[in-house]
Amino acid sequence: MELRQLRYLIGVADAGSLLKASKLLHLAQPALGQHIVALEEELGATLFVRSSRGMALTDNGRRFVEHARKVLAELEAAKASVLADGQHLTGEVILGLPTTVALAATVPLLRLVRARLPLVRLRIVESHSGFLREWLQTGRLELSILFEDRQEPWLSQRQLLTEQLVLVSAAGAGAPPLAREVPLRELSRLPMILPNTEHGLRRIIDAACRANGVDLDVVAEIDSLPAVKTAVAAGLAYTILSPGSVSEELRQGHLRQAVIRDPEIRRTICSCFALTRSPGPAARAVSDLVDEVIRELVLTGQWPATLAGQPVLP
């Protein structure tokens, strides 16, 4: 049994078919099928049920995939611990950051990587979390920060922090008054500008509203954070964002915010990697620095949020 067979097995299990898995794993479909058959023959068990709709794991397959994920994760951790102590880390690390995270974390992270990992070349890809999730799965990213909105079998998620979303409006002369707190149900009366429905932030907002019977009046969908903030500052509509993403505009008096209550809308930010492509030692070192940066931003008040494992204050 070879380690690559375990990776191929997990790839097929996550993709649900040889055709999809072959594209994700960059391996010819016949060769991939042969590896799966060889693995089944060695184990003496059928791991997949084949049909015209694809391949589904059997009970034996599900149990074996669970163990395979643990084996690969432990192996990568062991490699990282040896290499980190035995040599200088080098190479390129491709990290995905959602725009709201990139605003706060990019500069301090670059400083820390330059100081601690001088031979590592960091490449940051900024986009909304829907794209980052897809690119992480297909191997374009080694690791990414994502918003936790759903669990997927191919994805490893480690919670970093939880933040409360706020209602954002224009400020200054002529802007409508805004209370310090606004009940969630009141948002249905306001014109909203939000990102599209595939955006991670939008999914979190929509899920909270559906659960509480709130129907938002979305007058426009804009995926660009700067464009959303500009439109709101012009008094065209309201939006829902994290406090950290509008901190500069609040300080300058261009925008105002109100805490959403009854209930709150919170989102959890996670450090993620694909279980089918575990990150190498350099990527794991960068991941540790991301954790350090985010922790420092939260503890110093630069990022209004609650660190994972700490109680959420009312």
Side-chain angles (χ1 to χ4, degrees):
M1 186 179 301
E2 301 178 10
L3 290 174
R4 61 175 177 170
Q5 289 179 311
L6 299 184
R7 295 189 174 93
Y8 295 158
L9 170 70
I10 293 171
V12 174
D14 290 343
S17 76
L18 282 177
L19 178 60
K20 292 179 181 178
S22 66
K23 294 178 180 178
L24 294 174
L25 297 170
H26 307 291
L27 181 68
Q29 185 176 341
L32 181 58
Q34 290 172 5
H35 280 291
I36 298 300
V37 170
L39 191 56
E40 289 180 318
E41 290 177 349
E42 180 175 352
L43 294 170
T46 301
L47 301 178
F48 291 95
V49 176
R50 280 84 164 169
S51 71
S52 59
R53 291 175 294 180
M55 297 176 65
L57 286 169
T58 62
D59 289 341
N60 283 331
R62 279 189 289 273
R63 286 192 292 270
F64 191 75
V65 165
E66 182 179 347
H67 287 291
R69 293 188 196 279
K70 294 177 181 178
V71 167
L72 293 178
E74 288 296 326
L75 176 63
E76 291 300 329
K79 288 167 56 180
S81 65
V82 172
L83 291 173
D85 290 337
Q87 64 184 47
H88 294 296
L89 296 175
T90 62
E92 181 182 64
V93 175
I94 307 176
L95 167 68
L97 294 180
T99 300
T100 52
V101 177
L103 283 172
T106 295
V107 172
L109 177 60
L110 285 175
R111 288 198 183 107
L112 209 53
V113 170
R114 291 291 301 275
R116 304 269 189 88
L117 305 170
L119 300 180
V120 171
R121 184 171 64 257
L122 179 62
R123 178 181 167 195
I124 294 177
V125 178
E126 178 189 331
S127 187
H128 72 66
S129 58
F131 286 140
L132 295 177
R133 184 181 294 265
E134 177 184 339
W135 295 337
L136 188 62
Q137 183 178 16
T138 57
R140 291 179 60 183
L141 302 174
E142 283 188 86
L143 61 151
S144 183
I145 302 300
L146 298 175
F147 304 126
E148 184 182 52
D149 60 345
R150 63 180 184 270
Q151 295 287 336
E152 297 189 73
W154 61 270
L155 184 65
S156 169
Q157 298 186 105
R158 181 168 49 81
Q159 294 185 354
L160 298 178
L161 61 83
T162 299
E163 57 183 354
Q164 183 177 359
L165 303 182
V166 295
L167 177 68
V168 180
S169 74
L178 186 67
R180 294 184 63 182
E181 297 184 359
V182 178
L184 179 61
R185 62 181 179 277
E186 296 296 324
L187 302 190
S188 61
R189 303 179 182 180
L190 305 175
M192 288 283 174
I193 295 176
L194 297 175
N196 77 79
T197 55
E198 293 302 310
H199 195 287
L201 174 63
R202 177 67 180 275
R203 287 199 296 265
I204 292 168
I205 294 169
D206 285 350
C209 289
R210 278 195 307 270
N212 292 276
V214 176
D215 187 15
L216 296 180
D217 178 19
V218 181
V219 298
E221 293 182 338
I222 303 176
D223 289 344
S224 166
L225 178 60
V228 169
K229 293 193 288 188
T230 299
V232 172
L236 298 177
Y238 297 76
T239 193
I240 300 173
L241 291 169
S242 64
S245 65
V246 292
S247 58
E248 185 63 21
E249 290 80 6
L250 293 173
R251 187 184 64 80
Q252 295 174 352
H254 299 318
L255 295 173
R256 291 181 296 181
Q257 71 175 29
V259 175
I260 300 170
R261 297 290 192 189
D262 304 323
E264 302 171 347
I265 304 179
R266 290 187 172 271
R267 70 176 178 184
T268 299
I269 291 177
C270 299
S271 177
C272 303
F273 67 88
L275 290 169
T276 52
R277 296 177 182 81
S278 296
R284 289 186 180 274
V286 169
S287 179
D288 290 341
L289 295 187
V290 172
D291 292 3
E292 186 174 333
V293 165
I294 288 179
R295 181 177 178 82
E296 182 67 16
L297 290 172
V298 173
L299 292 178
T300 57
Q302 299 176 67
W303 190 332
T306 302
L307 289 171
Q310 294 187 349
V312 176
L313 300 178

